[in-house]
Amino acid sequence: MSAIVLLILGLAAMAAGYLLYSKFIAEKIYRLDPDFKTPAHEFEDGVDFVPTNRFVLWGHHFTSVAGAAPIVGPAIAVIWGWLPAFLWVVFGTIFFAGVHDAGAIWASVRNRAKSVGALTGDVVGKRARSIFMIVIFLVLLMVNAVFAVVIAGLMMNFSSAVVPVWGAILVALVIGQLIYRRLLSLPMVSIIGVVALYALIGIGPSVPLQMPAEVAGLSGNAVWILILFGYAAIASLLPVWVLLQPRDYINGLQLFIGLIVLYGAIVLMNPTLVAPAFNTNVPAGTPSLLPLLFVTIACGAISGFHGLVSSGTTSKQLSKETDARFVGYFGAVGEGMLALAAILAATAGFATFADWQAMYTAFGQGGVNAFVEGGAFIIHNGLGLPEATAATLLTVMAALFAGTTMDTGLRLQRYIFQEWGEIYDQAWMKKPAIATLLAVGSCLLLAFGAGGADGSGGLIIWPLFGTTNQLLAGLTLLVITVMLVRLRRPMIYTLVPLCFLLVMTIAALLIQLRSFFEQGNTFLLVLDIVVLIAAIMVAMECASALKRSHAEVATEQR
């Protein structure tokens, strides 16, 4: 089958979803009000609460939620065949992710920009809030610790990417000043930023920087992890307009250019999908497609981490409530487009079926490597760009996305510690610097405490990321659904995704529980039990909260 057919079908469906379905959700269900005074204006402080142009905010939101996950998940899931991955990415984006992301922004904006964790206590109850805060902390711990390992690995393996990855930070600092101080128009700033970023990508292969294998007794990989967390700590304390917004905005533009390049190469090359639609000859040890597909492809279809970004940083920068549709729903569409690109690169970017099979020798194989190698193959054959340059382009894209997610993730983890300070009346924990140190310390404790001197400890608990992340998405949808019930609005559009996620998450946790037991992995077995209990409690809280809300509405109507 031609990859062009899949490309056209996927993009057309997502475009229809944004133009039609998101309009219906925004106007009839969430009823976004252009005159509502958003927290960005009400609590404007120039640091976290900053009214922001919707295009700039979309760049921040999209690149923060994207990261490397919408590349890794789909590029692993095609081991079951391209069709299941394609269908889940497309329909998950339209009916799950867009509704979830825009809804999380709306719910937070309507409640003084509270994070979805804090909001749970007001909307659902204190028990649900306690569960939520634990799940949120685990997800952020996984994301921050693992993405540091991913970025460090990319810079160790692709020395040509070091200059573009770190040079992008300097570009963002300049862009931030130009935008915030309105020294140039946004289109002009965008052109300058993109040209500078791609100039760095062009320079990268000529100035490769390689970290020594060992520095002061630490591996080069560990040194990069420490540097990354040092940078992320500083970035999380800076006002959002200084680095976070412009870095994410420029990366968002870079993504679309990268997608245009990759999609254009597909059109010109017209590659064939060498992978089967359904792979009936999966490697030994590969788990069943159902329900693992729905937790393997988290970001790219629906992700609980998106709710954290939506209610953690995005809601504090939303200038008009109606912007939630563009920023939230279209942000999910952008991630769906990236996931679609990952599927095409990982299934059509190989010369033969045998080459594809060589990449997918076991479950968990593929991921970023399949995306970079497959995408570089397509770009080289479609556009004539040297494969090394194309690989650098795609590597920098993945590293920059992972970096922006890590920036936002550490800021969100700082918010969690500050919220715990408010909940338990601990004034010292509310201080940004101390909360940031606690966030960094917990990540480093996992990275080096569980992983040893190379700092790869986050990878140990990564197998549970998908299920924990989807549980978080279910909790966010629960908050949105209860709010809709209390407002006497249709809840079916959030209740169906909520129930689906809970069923798939609990089923996946049970399968993983058996797998960890058979492997004798006590640590993951215990952690799986903790998450499974949390999932069951969430299901019970769902039923209880919805029942109470219906009763309250019925009482008011009498």
Side-chain angles (χ1 to χ4, degrees), residues 227-456:
I227 292 173
L228 286 165
F229 274 113
Y231 154 74
I234 296 170
S236 73
L237 291 169
L238 291 174
V240 291
W241 64 268
V242 172
L243 181 59
L244 190 68
Q245 283 181 355
R247 176 168 156 82
D248 292 351
Y249 176 64
I250 292 300
N251 284 344
L253 294 178
Q254 181 249 160
L255 165 75
F256 267 97
I257 293 174
L259 286 178
I260 290 171
V261 169
L262 183 55
Y263 287 160
I266 289 173
V267 172
L268 293 173
M269 179 187 173
N270 190 18
T272 300
L273 299 169
V274 297
F278 286 97
N279 187 13
T280 57
N281 188 28
V282 295
T286 301
S288 60
L289 186 152
L290 292 176
L292 267 296
L293 172 73
F294 301 103
V295 296
T296 301
I297 303 179
C299 301
I302 182 171
S303 166
F305 181 74
H306 293 199
L308 300 185
V309 176
S310 296
S311 65
T313 57
T314 302
S315 64
K316 295 177 175 64
Q317 302 168 58
L318 199 75
S319 186
K320 289 185 178 181
E321 189 178 62
T322 46
D323 290 347
R325 178 192 173 203
F326 178 78
V327 174
Y329 197 103
F330 191 60
V333 169
E335 187 159 26
M337 292 169 63
L338 178 57
L340 177 60
I343 292 171
L344 294 173
T347 55
F350 298 88
T352 65
F353 176 60
D355 291 334
W356 181 81
Q357 280 187 312
M359 173 64 72
Y360 290 90
T361 56
F363 181 70
Q365 297 296 310
V368 173
N369 288 336
F371 171 73
V372 171
E373 292 182 23
F377 175 83
I378 292 172
I379 293 172
H380 170 66
N381 287 280
L383 301 177
L385 202 66
E387 280 198 61
T389 303
T392 298
L393 172 68
L394 297 175
T395 300
V396 170
M397 180 190 294
L400 289 180
F401 285 150
T404 52
T405 300
M406 188 178 169
D407 288 359
T408 302
L410 198 64
R411 186 180 287 262
L412 293 173
Q413 204 165 3
R414 186 247 290 179
Y415 291 162
I416 292 296
F417 279 106
Q418 288 180 299
E419 286 180 0
W420 274 335
E422 291 180 5
I423 292 171
Y424 299 108
D425 195 23
Q426 298 294 321
W428 62 275
M429 197 180 288
K430 299 179 192 177
K431 296 178 180 179
I434 292 177
T436 298
L437 287 175
L438 290 172
V440 172
S442 61
C443 291
L444 291 178
L445 183 62
L446 172 62
F448 290 93
D454 67 347
S456 61

Side-chain angles (χ1 to χ4, degrees), residues 72-349:
V72 175
I76 289 175
V78 293
I79 197 169
W80 290 299
W82 58 260
L83 185 57
F86 173 78
L87 292 175
W88 176 229
V89 163
V90 171
F91 289 107
T93 295
I94 296 170
F95 298 108
F96 286 63
V99 175
H100 170 276
D101 293 13
I105 297 174
W106 165 73
S108 179
V109 165
R110 284 286 170 165
N111 289 274
R112 299 164 60 89
K114 287 184 178 180
S115 74
V116 71
L119 187 56
T120 304
D122 299 335
V123 176
V124 183
K126 291 183 178 180
R127 287 178 306 184
R129 182 187 65 185
S130 298
I131 299 169
F132 214 138
M133 297 296 274
I134 293 171
V135 174
I136 289 173
F137 182 77
L138 285 173
V139 168
L140 289 174
L141 194 63
M142 293 176 188
V143 168
N144 292 332
V146 170
F147 277 20
V149 176
V150 170
I151 300 169
L154 287 172
M155 288 191 290
M156 288 295 291
N157 296 327
F158 299 92
S159 57
S160 61
V162 174
V163 168
V165 167
W166 290 100
I169 297 172
L170 297 178
V171 173
L173 289 169
V174 174
I175 293 301
Q177 295 295 324
L178 293 176
I179 293 176
Y180 186 74
R181 302 188 188 282
R182 299 180 181 177
L183 300 176
L184 292 174
S185 65
L186 186 60
M188 182 59 67
V189 169
S190 302
I191 293 171
I192 292 172
V194 169
V195 169
L197 188 59
Y198 276 92
L200 288 169
I201 292 174
I203 293 170
S206 302
V207 193
L209 296 179
Q210 184 68 53
M211 179 70 72
E214 185 174 325
V215 179
L218 292 173
S219 67
N221 194 74
V223 173
W224 273 128
I225 290 173
L226 291 173
I227 292 173
L228 286 165
F229 274 113
Y231 154 74
I234 296 170
S236 73
L237 291 169
L238 291 174
V240 291
W241 64 268
V242 172
L243 181 59
L244 190 68
Q245 283 181 355
R247 176 168 156 82
D248 292 351
Y249 176 64
I250 292 300
N251 284 344
L253 294 178
Q254 181 249 160
L255 165 75
F256 267 97
I257 293 174
L259 286 178
I260 290 171
V261 169
L262 183 55
Y263 287 160
I266 289 173
V267 172
L268 293 173
M269 179 187 173
N270 190 18
T272 300
L273 299 169
V274 297
F278 286 97
N279 187 13
T280 57
N281 188 28
V282 295
T286 301
S288 60
L289 186 152
L290 292 176
L292 267 296
L293 172 73
F294 301 103
V295 296
T296 301
I297 303 179
C299 301
I302 182 171
S303 166
F305 181 74
H306 293 199
L308 300 185
V309 176
S310 296
S311 65
T313 57
T314 302
S315 64
K316 295 177 175 64
Q317 302 168 58
L318 199 75
S319 186
K320 289 185 178 181
E321 189 178 62
T322 46
D323 290 347
R325 178 192 173 203
F326 178 78
V327 174
Y329 197 103
F330 191 60
V333 169
E335 187 159 26
M337 292 169 63
L338 178 57
L340 177 60
I343 292 171
L344 294 173
T347 55

